Amino acid sequence: MDEKILEIKDLTVSFGENRVIEDVSFSIKRGEVTALVGESGSGKTMTALSILDLLPDTACRRKGEILFDGKNIFDLGPEELRDMRGNAIAMVFQEPFTALNPVIRIGRQIAEAVSAHGICPRSEVRERIKESLSTVRLPEETVYQYPHELSGGMRQRVMLSMALSCDPAILILDEPTTALDVSIQKHILDLIRHIQKDRQLTVLFITHDFSVVRTIADKVCVMRRGRVVEQGAKEDVLGEPACEYTRQLIACIPVLGDKRERLPVVDG
Amino acid sequence: MGKYILKRLLLIIPMLIGISFILFVVMHIAPGDPTSVKYGLNPDISESARSNFNKIYGLDRPVLVQYATWLRRFFFLDFGDSFMDGRPVISKIMSRLPATLLLQASSFLVIFCVALPIGIISAVRRGGLFDRTMTVAVFIGYALPAFWLALLLIFFLGFKLQLFPVSGMVPWYAVYIGGFARAGDLLWHLVLPVFATAFGGVAALSRYSRSSMIEAMGQNYVLTARAKGLSERRVILVHALRNALLPIITIMGLTLPGLISGSFIFETIFAWPGMGRLGYEAIMNYDYPVVMGVAVISTFLTLLGIFLSDIAYAAADPRIRYETRRT
Ligand SMILES: Nc1ncnc2c1ncn2[C@@H]1O[C@H](COP(=O)(O)OP(=O)(O)OP(=O)(O)O)[C@@H](O)[C@H]1O
Ligand SMILES: [Mg+2]
């Protein structure tokens, strides 16, 4: 249980001279939920994209390595990388409204993920899609729909089912609820928590919201302006934050949390 | 969807009538008239013969009345008879239409098949050697007047190198050769005219598909596709291209007017026995019925093309499925 499945070492990424990630190091343990917290623009998404080696073309990786199962992913060939993405490490993006291809049916978009890695014979792909849709509590008919026919919450479920369809070793969730209506956020979070518990998933959960951290994380890693300013077990960081910045972030919780409790919950 | 198609199709009729009215008026306002060409240069033609001609063809009546007469016959697809040889306009046009359609369709196909791959490769290898070369080539393509290019082609590839026939579509010897050889010969005759007509379109569309493709590749769903572990080929040819094609479909519809108006010039330069050349000759001779016939058929083809591209767009983009919605 204590083994490190992913380890980021001294990662530095810049756009031109602007270093958006600087000397970031942290690790993720199997079966744990690691929360990556920080304000907007602190480099959370860039860190996540580095793990898949999918940084934008304009970004430049200055130094560092990312070890997955003991192998540096930056040493992998294109074919090995391709097979790692989605299969070993899957990601759900921040923006459910633009993350799905508008002209392709949901079913096909999930099927692609499954068949790209040949994890099951062709004849079973259909069954597998059904299964992954039911995991996120979407009706079977969703496969025939196009993204524009779904609500934001439903799209994020589709993204989640796509990410889960290959049984990834690590699931990266990049602010999966930030773009959603507050009333739907709780549903999606509950769903994620349920699936995580159920499958003992290893999750990197990106958020800027400590109330979410409190409910879901085992370990916390706080980022600010591209640097990790504090990391440790959830209890330690939340109980006795060492850093003023962390304290400020935590201070935002009660207000948001209270509001959320009172809102009626509508299924998305 | 069916309702939408019908509506769009019916809309073509009023548009056609409106445009035909403008054409008719412009044609009559333009300086010169049939009698000045046919008889004006001949000093022996008397004033009475002239007015007699005008009377026979109704040219002495007000333009609006003439238009009304024209419109009434138009509803029965009767465009009148040519001033030049008295043959019915519709049969003159029909005998020329296949040649024009062949040339247009070939150009259209060439534009699509050449410009799209250029655009895609340029977008995928942005800033690379191919992209930069094509940027320069397209710039030159824009700057060159196409008719001048046509003359250059005729001169170098036609006369100097004798590689391609420079004029006509079906030569005298065609009747003496077999089916396949005849088709080959036809293709051979198509090369230069198609090159000249398609040139501008290729330049424009390749630029357009490049930028459309670049935009699509920067979208989030492309990142999602990569994160799923799809091959780069699939990411580009399925996820990016299918979205990039949407605006290209519209643009393809919009290249039609250019192609058709270009046919007046290029069919004349290459002595292509099509409708464009017929129209050009008719204009030169103030052959009003033929001018109107050619103009209206060209307009109809253009509107039809734009209509088809709209339908293609609606079919390709699931977000624009009218009325009928599947569940
Ligand atoms: N394509 C890009 N070109 C230049 N700079 C970029 C680009 N993408 C991101 N950045 C910069 O990188 C920094 C980190 O961005 P990142 O998206 O990782 O932030 P984030 O922590 O995910 O924020 P948010 O909570 O808003 O999603 C930001 O300052 C941003 O301005
Ligand atoms: Mg982000």
Side-chain angles (χ1 to χ4, degrees):
Chain A
M1 199 61 187
D2 241 22
E3 119 199 48
K4 287 175 190 168
I5 185 166
L6 189 90
E7 193 170 8
I8 300 178
K9 285 185 182 166
D10 297 325
L11 185 69
T12 301
V13 172
S14 67
F15 287 99
E17 280 310 301
N18 175 24
R19 298 189 167 209
V20 295
I21 299 180
E22 210 162 352
D23 291 325
V24 164
S25 303
F26 65 91
S27 56
I28 297 172
K29 284 185 191 148
R30 201 181 290 279
E32 274 191 354
V33 177
T34 306
L36 189 58
V37 200
E39 62 188 345
S40 187
S42 53
K44 306 181 298 287
T45 299
M46 290 302 135
T47 306
L49 289 178
S50 305
I51 297 173
L52 291 172
D53 197 17
L54 278 176
L55 284 170
D57 293 339
T58 44
C60 166
R61 189 170 47 83
R62 292 297 175 89
K63 67 177 167 80
E65 51 186 24
I66 296 179
L67 303 175
F68 172 66
D69 264 351
K71 260 192 280 178
N72 186 0
I73 64 149
F74 298 121
D75 292 340
L76 297 180
E79 201 46 37
E80 288 170 294
L81 258 180
R82 192 189 67 70
D83 201 44
M84 178 197 83
R85 294 176 187 146
N87 193 7
I89 306 178
M91 180 160 171
V92 171
F93 292 91
Q94 202 166 346
E95 258 298 329
F97 291 92
T98 55
L100 288 165
N101 196 320
V103 299
I104 301 178
R105 286 184 208 279
I106 301 297
R108 265 203 60 203
Q109 298 198 48
I110 302 177
E112 270 182 341
V114 177
S115 37
H117 305 289
I119 45 173
C120 69
R122 248 164 197 281
S123 53
E124 286 165 32
V125 170
R126 233 187 149 71
E127 201 47 45
R128 199 163 174 120
I129 296 169
K130 259 191 223 166
E131 202 184 291
S132 72
L133 279 175
S134 75
T135 318
V136 295
R137 298 177 200 149
L138 278 176
E140 229 173 80
E141 294 75 53
T142 315
V143 293
Y144 299 113
Q145 291 187 296
Y146 287 99
H148 74 273
E149 296 170 306
L150 307 179
S151 69
M154 287 166 91
R155 291 187 212 194
Q156 205 59 305
R157 285 165 199 254
V158 169
M159 286 298 290
L160 200 57
S161 82
M162 211 152 81
L164 292 171
S165 64
C166 292
D167 273 328
I170 300 178
L171 178 63
I172 303 176
L173 301 167
D174 187 0
E175 307 198 32
T177 58
T178 305
L180 302 178
D181 209 292
V182 184
S183 54
I184 296 160
Q185 289 187 350
K186 191 173 175 305
H187 267 268
I188 300 284
L189 282 175
D190 285 346
L191 181 66
I192 290 170
R193 204 165 33 207
H194 174 80
I195 296 170
Q196 194 274 331
K197 287 248 162 61
D198 199 43
R199 301 197 182 184
Q200 283 299 303
L201 271 176
T202 310
V203 175
L204 176 62
F205 195 103
I206 299 178
T207 179
H208 56 243
D209 184 347
F210 264 97
S211 66
V212 177
V213 176
R214 180 160 287 157
T215 57
I216 208 165
D218 298 306
K219 208 192 122 184
V220 185
C221 189
V222 185
M223 274 186 88
R224 184 191 194 188
R225 298 209 191 126
R227 287 176 174 276
V228 175
V229 290
E230 181 164 2
Q231 60 177 313
K234 174 175 73 175
E235 292 74 21
D236 299 341
V237 176
L238 282 178
E240 267 175 72
C243 179
E244 177 59 31
Y245 174 68
T246 313
R247 241 179 309 236
Q248 283 172 5
L249 282 180
I250 296 173
C252 296
I253 303 176
V255 195
L256 276 174
D258 277 1
K259 234 196 231 162
R260 197 159 303 171
E261 294 304 322
R262 275 190 234 113
L263 267 162
V265 171
V266 183
D267 195 3
Chain B
M1 187 86 177
K3 221 167 156 188
Y4 170 77
I5 292 178
L6 197 69
K7 219 165 79 189
R8 283 295 316 267
L9 211 54
L10 287 177
L11 211 63
I12 288 186
I13 296 171
M15 289 212 284
L16 205 56
I17 292 174
I19 293 170
S20 76
F21 176 70
I22 296 169
L23 286 169
F24 199 88
V25 171
V26 167
M27 186 177 71
H28 280 267
I29 290 174
D33 62 71
T35 51
S36 62
V37 170
K38 206 166 181 186
Y39 309 105
L41 296 177
N42 187 342
D44 293 339
I45 295 296
S46 67
E47 199 49 45
S48 68
R50 216 183 242 247
S51 65
N52 207 16
F53 179 91
N54 280 341
K55 201 169 215 138
I56 290 172
Y57 290 102
L59 294 174
D60 52 346
R61 288 177 299 161
V63 173
L64 280 184
V65 177
Q66 289 186 46
Y67 177 70
T69 317
W70 181 88
L71 191 62
R72 202 173 54 236
R73 295 164 100 186
F74 165 68
F75 281 117
F76 301 99
L77 280 184
D78 175 7
F79 292 98
D81 298 333
S82 165
F83 288 169
M84 299 299 293
D85 54 12
R87 278 175 61 203
V89 172
I90 192 75
S91 74
K92 279 186 98 157
I93 290 178
M94 283 309 157
S95 70
R96 297 295 196 100
L97 204 54
T100 291
L101 289 181
L102 175 68
L103 182 57
Q104 302 298 346
S106 315
S107 299
F108 197 74
L109 211 67
V110 166
I111 290 176
F112 194 76
C113 294
V114 174
L116 202 64
I118 290 179
I120 296 173
I121 297 171
S122 299
V124 173
R125 307 241 159 89
R126 185 148 46 127
L129 185 65
F130 181 82
D131 186 28
R132 278 178 290 156
T133 314
M134 279 303 145
T135 305
V136 175
V138 163
F139 185 71
I140 293 172
Y142 270 136
L144 281 184
F147 68 89
W148 184 68
L149 177 80
L151 295 177
L152 278 187
L153 288 175
I154 290 181
F155 186 71
F156 284 108
L157 298 182
F159 285 128
K160 285 279 180 197
L161 300 174
Q162 305 264 322
L163 285 175
F164 301 100
V166 296
S167 77
M169 182 170 88
V170 182
W172 58 270
Y173 57 77
V175 287
Y176 299 110
I177 54 183
F180 276 117
R182 210 182 302 171
D185 189 69
L186 184 60
L187 274 182
W188 209 229
H189 278 81
L190 261 173
V191 173
L192 289 188
V194 165
F195 192 99
T197 15
F199 197 74
V202 169
L205 194 76
S206 65
R207 262 307 78 172
Y208 201 87
S209 33
R210 175 183 182 271
S211 63
S212 185
M213 205 49 202
I214 286 176
E215 201 201 311
M217 288 197 315
Q219 297 297 315
N220 277 342
Y221 51 73
V222 169
L223 188 61
T224 306
R226 290 208 171 98
K228 275 194 278 192
L230 303 187
S231 66
E232 196 58 19
R233 203 186 151 76
R234 202 175 160 83
V235 170
I236 288 165
L237 292 184
V238 176
H239 284 263
L241 184 60
R242 282 197 57 177
N243 284 277
L245 272 178
L246 294 178
I248 292 175
I249 291 173
T250 309
I251 289 294
M252 286 305 282
L254 294 179
T255 59
L256 281 177
L259 273 182
I260 290 188
S261 60
S263 74
F264 280 65
I265 301 167
F266 295 114
E267 288 185 1
T268 306
I269 292 179
F270 289 102
W272 193 258
M275 196 176 65
R277 203 174 105 208
L278 179 69
Y280 176 81
E281 288 162 0
I283 290 170
M284 287 305 162
N285 291 312
Y286 292 95
D287 192 347
Y288 286 168
V290 176
V291 172
M292 276 311 285
V294 169
V296 165
I297 298 287
S298 306
T299 310
F300 175 70
L301 289 178
T302 308
L303 292 176
L304 193 68
I306 292 173
F307 162 76
L308 287 178
S309 84
D310 277 1
I311 297 298
Y313 191 104
D317 189 345
R319 285 161 296 188
I320 322 180
R321 295 262 158 92
Y322 304 84
E323 296 108 32
T324 46
R325 167 134 297 158
R326 59 163 308 161
T327 43

